[in-house]
Structures are given as C-alpha cells and as structure tokens.
C-alpha cells in the first residue's frame, strides 16, 4: 500500500493586516490547524477499513460517513491555505497594469472594477462559505463562485486564484455580523496580488503545455 506522510500545518506570517486583527488571525490559524489534523485523522480511519483488502457490507455505513466527510475536511484545509497565502500586510490596493490577473479580469469582465464588484457581491451572499475566483484552465477565463461550507460549489479542475473566507469566524471578532461588507473591504486592502498573479501564470503555463 502506498504511504504518504501526514499533511503538515503550514505557517503564515499574517500579523499587522489592515482591518483584520492579530486576534482574528490567531484564532483563524488555530481553526485551520484543526482541519489539517482532521484530514490526517480521517485518512487514517478510512485506511483501517481497507487493511483486510475490502470494505465489508456491515462496515459500509461507517465507511460512507467518513468518506463523505473527506470533502469537508480536505477543502477546509486547502482553502484556508489559499486564503492565508493570498493575504499580506505589505499589500497594494490594486494589481498593477501589467498584472496577469488584471489582464484576465479585464478580458473576463470588461474591467477590473466590474470583476471586483462581482467578487464582492458573491462575498456578501448570505450563508457560511467562501467567495472564490476560479480560472478555467482551458479557456483562461475567470469566474467568481460561491462555495457553501468548504465543498459545495468548487468547480472540478478549475484553479482557485483568489480565495476569501466569509465564514463568521473570519471577521466576528472585528465586526458585527451585519458588517460583512466592511470585512470584505479589509480583505481587499490586504490581498497579496503577487501571489494571485503567480497562480494565474501557473495556470497559463499548464495551459500552454497542454495545447
Ligand atoms: Fe476560516
């Protein structure tokens, strides 16, 4: 049986953000740590079922429940890593004119401002989840999506290039529940556009290789 080492908690240096307190960041990082642990634990428990080479009929309900939870825990881990990675206390408010992301946003939405209006609106949708700008690796087009919880709404094979957490834990220490729009403004003032550009460039490199 192949052996993969357990996932490790990644470290992010995110103190000093604008409008998102260090207290929120620390709470959020500890929640992320929980997803890494839960993903590893789930993998271990599922592997136990296969020790004798098959899943028996009586094991199927427990096996099914754990397997369904994989999408929740895995996406909880990976989306938080994307979210933390696309934040920085050294951020600039908008991507520069030469930015790969900006070019794609303009081609997909006519203008950067229109892309931003759409992304922010997705983030204001009621419910618990994520606003994610994905890139279609085949056409290069950007689209903004709502993801419920962590796993409902991700588009298979699309690359997440900008990820915003809008679970309440992302902002409730700093803002009232009705002030999600202020958190979204704060998120925008902390985006690491260099990372977002790199994600677009990586997706485009794969696209060229596949062509
Ligand atoms: Fe979160």
């Amino acid at each position: 049986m192949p052996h993969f080492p357990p996932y490790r908690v990644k470290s992010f240096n995110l103190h000093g953000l604008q409008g998102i307190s260090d207290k929120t960041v620390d709470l959020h990082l500890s929640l992320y740590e929980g997803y890494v642990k839960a993903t590893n634990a789930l993998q271990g428990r599922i592997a136990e079922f296969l020790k004798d080479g098959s899943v028996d009929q009586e094991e199927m309900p427990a096996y099914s429940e754990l397997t369904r939870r994989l999408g929740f825990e895995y996406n909880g881990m990976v989306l938080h890593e994307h979210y933390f990675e696309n934040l920085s206390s050294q951020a600039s408010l908008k991507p520069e004119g030469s930015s790969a992301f900006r070019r794609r946003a303009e081609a997909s939405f006519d203008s950067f401002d229109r892309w931003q209006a759409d992304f922010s609106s997705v983030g204001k949708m009621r419910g618990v989840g994520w606003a994610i700008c994905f890139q279609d690796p085949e056409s290069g087009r950007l689209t903004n999506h709502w993801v419920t919880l962590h796993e409902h709404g991700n588009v298979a094979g699309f690359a997440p290039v900008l990820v915003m957490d809008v679970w309440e834990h992302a902002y409730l220490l700093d803002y009232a529940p009705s002030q999600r729009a202020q958190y979204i403004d704060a998120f925008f003032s902390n985006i690491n556009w260099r990372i977002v550009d790199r994600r677009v460039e990586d997706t485009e490199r794969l696209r060229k290789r596949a062509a």
Side-chain angles (χ1 to χ4, degrees):
M1 205 169 172
H3 176 71
F4 289 95
Y7 288 100
R8 295 172 67 161
V9 175
K10 294 182 178 174
S11 59
F12 299 92
N13 181 14
L14 289 175
H15 281 183
L17 296 177
Q18 299 176 52
I20 300 174
S21 66
D22 292 351
K23 209 169 159 191
T24 292
V25 166
D26 291 341
L27 165 77
H28 214 160
L29 287 170
S30 70
L31 288 171
Y32 153 65
E33 213 172 310
Y35 284 107
V36 178
K37 284 182 184 154
T39 300
N40 288 330
L42 216 43
Q43 294 280 37
R45 289 178 68 189
I46 289 169
E48 285 292 313
F49 283 96
L50 294 166
K51 265 194 168 164
D52 58 2
S54 65
V55 180
D56 300 336
Q57 205 50 41
E58 65 270 19
E59 292 173 324
M60 192 49 85
Y63 173 82
S64 303
E65 175 54 24
L66 292 175
T67 301
R68 286 198 181 97
R69 281 166 53 188
L70 259 187
F72 180 80
E73 303 294 356
Y74 245 112
N75 280 296
M77 175 178 79
V78 171
L79 289 179
H80 275 108
E81 288 170 354
H82 276 74
Y83 171 73
F84 294 134
E85 194 188 44
N86 62 215
L87 289 174
S88 166
S89 58
Q90 314 290 321
S92 59
L93 282 175
K94 280 194 176 182
E96 291 166 8
S98 59
S99 146
F101 175 84
R102 195 185 180 101
R103 264 191 295 110
R104 279 291 164 200
E106 288 168 354
S108 306
F109 287 82
D110 287 338
S111 71
F112 176 83
D113 289 346
R114 192 179 287 215
W115 165 81
Q116 184 171 355
D118 184 61
F119 186 85
S120 298
S121 300
V122 172
K124 289 171 192 164
M125 285 168 57
R126 283 170 67 77
V128 174
W130 300 79
I132 302 180
C133 178
F134 281 101
Q135 185 169 30
D136 174 357
E138 205 173 309
S139 68
R141 179 181 181 176
L142 300 182
T143 42
N144 298 319
H145 298 255
W146 170 263
V147 169
T148 299
L149 299 176
H150 304 309
E151 73 274 39
H152 301 294
N154 290 290
V155 188
F158 279 26
V161 294
L162 181 67
V163 174
M164 177 168 68
D165 193 332
V166 287
W167 282 58
E168 290 183 341
H169 63 245
Y171 59 91
L172 263 197
L173 291 180
D174 302 324
Y175 303 97
S178 59
Q179 293 177 318
R180 195 192 280 187
Q182 290 184 36
Y183 158 70
I184 292 172
D185 287 346
F187 172 82
F188 264 95
S189 58
N190 294 294
I191 295 174
N192 186 339
W193 290 109
R194 206 170 42 82
I195 292 293
V196 178
D197 276 343
R198 201 182 70 198
R199 290 174 182 164
V200 170
E201 285 157 5
D202 286 349
T203 309
E204 307 214 321
R205 214 166 291 131
L206 288 174
R207 205 168 136 235
K208 275 183 202 142
R209 208 174 298 151

